Amino acid sequence: MRRRRRRRRAFAGMTAAAVLLCTLFLAVKTLYPLLSEERKADTDITYDGASPSLSVNLDNLYSPHAILIDLDSGKAVAARGSQDRIYPASLTKIMTALLAVEETDNLDETVTLSTRIFPKLYAEEASMAGFQPGERVQLRDLLYGILLPSGAECCLAFAERIAGSEEAFVKLMNEKAKELGMDSTHFCNSTGLHDGNHYSTVEDMAVLLKHALKNADFREAFTSSQHSTLPSDLHPDGFTFYSTMFEYMSSAKVTGGEILGGKTGYTEEAGLCLASLAGINGKEYILVTAKADGTHDTEQFHILDAVNVYNQVGASSNDSQ
């Protein structure tokens, strides 16, 4: 008799546990899609129903990989090779700059640039903003130094300040990429210097830029054509640097609007890359292109592609009004 009671109690306990597990499973199953959809609504690029009134052709671009996004809706207007793996080169610095502003409480603070970060950058002929070893610099100037002249020393200064080392900072970069749903991206450094395991897609880069532009400090720097630094011990009068995109453009005007800002990138393996923002007929668009032939010394084919695409957007939206 006692054995039967013990068996009944054990069976009842197992049944209760099973019911509880089933309840928890159903709750998670119901809740997870909602959480997933909330994340997707904030970061993902969608292709369905995307601006049917616009007619944009990417087939004749110099860049084999391109994606045009309606920033307000997050919908892709047009795409070409957008999910193919690319090397992002200095487009990487968009992520570095985003983490810089998100992990910094006061951009008016100053830091001293460590002398140890420079020898490697000099050896690799990395692009620099112009700051010197041991110089005391305002963090805001470093942010502009990342996004305008593509300064590698500015990237490493933020990386060391935020995470203690570039290696630790790269972990934060990959965690942020995962959070944003950039499933085809992996970073190995903060600057975009070539590494076979450092890759992305133009779609992922569009997701990143879409998110970053929500930050006011990032947007202000990204859309600036030039910036003058505060005086420092090694630059008593300060100095001015310029956007690597705007310096190649005689005019930012396009049909119906203008190109507001952009971040260029180049390595031999990556080709010419560009992530840009334009305002056209009251709307904003992101265009990310990659792997155009050319170098810093040739025609800037990635910028020509941007002008081409944004002119198409302006002409098409004018026709539809």
Side-chain angles (χ1 to χ4, degrees):
M1 181 69 71
R2 290 177 181 171
R3 289 180 180 172
R4 289 178 186 168
R5 288 175 181 168
R6 282 198 295 269
R7 288 174 184 164
R8 291 196 191 104
R9 283 197 294 269
F11 179 76
M14 292 170 62
T15 302
V19 170
L20 179 60
L21 288 172
C22 287
T23 303
L24 289 172
F25 173 78
L26 290 173
V28 170
K29 185 177 180 182
T30 301
L31 184 59
Y32 179 78
L34 296 177
L35 294 173
S36 177
E37 286 303 316
E38 182 179 352
R39 182 185 67 77
K40 285 184 177 182
D42 184 52
T43 60
D44 278 9
I45 302 300
T46 58
Y47 289 84
D48 54 314
S51 301
S53 61
L54 289 182
S55 176
V56 177
N57 186 351
L58 305 182
D59 291 341
N60 296 320
L61 300 186
Y62 296 103
S63 306
H65 309 281
I67 188 167
L68 176 67
I69 304 298
D70 179 325
L71 186 57
D72 294 332
S73 68
K75 295 181 182 298
V77 177
R80 174 190 182 194
S82 63
Q83 297 177 342
D84 297 340
R85 181 176 291 190
I86 62 159
Y87 296 122
S90 285
L91 300 191
T92 300
K93 291 167 184 163
I94 296 173
M95 176 63 85
T96 302
L98 173 61
L99 287 178
V101 294
E102 288 188 343
E103 299 295 328
T104 300
D105 294 329
N106 183 7
L107 287 171
D108 295 327
E109 291 181 8
T110 58
V111 295
T112 300
L113 297 188
S114 170
T115 58
R116 67 176 172 272
I117 69 177
F118 286 84
K120 179 182 178 183
L121 297 178
Y122 292 149
E124 294 175 326
E125 298 183 345
S127 58
M128 309 286 275
F131 297 108
Q132 300 298 313
E135 185 170 1
R136 190 152 185 82
V137 181
Q138 187 189 55
L139 293 175
R140 191 177 305 278
D141 288 342
L142 290 179
L143 173 63
Y144 281 77
I146 292 174
L147 290 174
L148 300 188
S150 206
E153 79 274 33
C154 305
C155 297
L156 293 186
F158 266 116
E160 289 198 348
R161 181 181 182 275
I162 291 169
S165 69
E166 186 179 27
E167 291 75 16
F169 186 78
V170 168
K171 290 182 180 179
L172 298 180
M173 295 172 69
N174 285 317
E175 288 172 3
K176 188 68 177 182
K178 184 176 181 181
E179 175 190 326
L180 294 178
M182 298 168 61
D183 298 328
S184 299
T185 296
H186 182 261
F187 297 115
C188 295
N189 57 63
S190 63
T191 60
L193 289 170
H194 182 69
D195 185 303
N197 289 318
H198 187 104
Y199 55 82
S200 187
T201 66
V202 292
E203 181 181 290
D204 275 6
M205 286 290 110
V207 168
L208 173 60
L209 182 56
K210 175 177 177 285
H211 178 82
L213 286 168
K214 295 176 183 178
N215 184 288
D217 288 317
F218 178 96
R219 176 182 272 263
E220 183 179 358
F222 187 82
T223 55
S224 296
S225 61
Q226 65 183 65
H227 176 76
S228 296
T229 70
L230 291 177
S232 71
D233 47 349
L234 297 180
H235 288 98
D237 298 323
F239 64 100
T240 300
F241 38 64
Y242 301 87
S243 162
T244 56
M245 182 189 72
F246 284 121
E247 68 180 353
Y248 287 109
M249 301 177 65
S250 58
S251 172
K253 297 295 184 182
V254 292
T255 304
E258 64 180 328
I259 299 176
L260 302 174
K263 179 74 196 75
T264 61
Y266 170 77
T267 65
E268 184 177 348
E269 297 83 1
L272 293 168
C273 308
L274 177 63
S276 60
L277 169 70
I280 300 172
N281 291 331
K283 299 191 71 173
E284 289 188 332
Y285 299 88
I286 288 172
L287 175 69
V288 182
T289 61
K291 209 170 175 51
D293 288 337
T295 70
H296 293 308
D297 300 320
T298 67
E299 284 267 23
Q300 298 303 289
F301 298 110
H302 49 346
I303 295 175
L304 294 177
D305 280 346
V307 173
N308 175 347
V309 171
Y310 290 133
N311 276 329
Q312 289 188 62
V313 172
S316 182
S317 59
N318 284 339
D319 291 342
S320 65
Q321 290 178 354

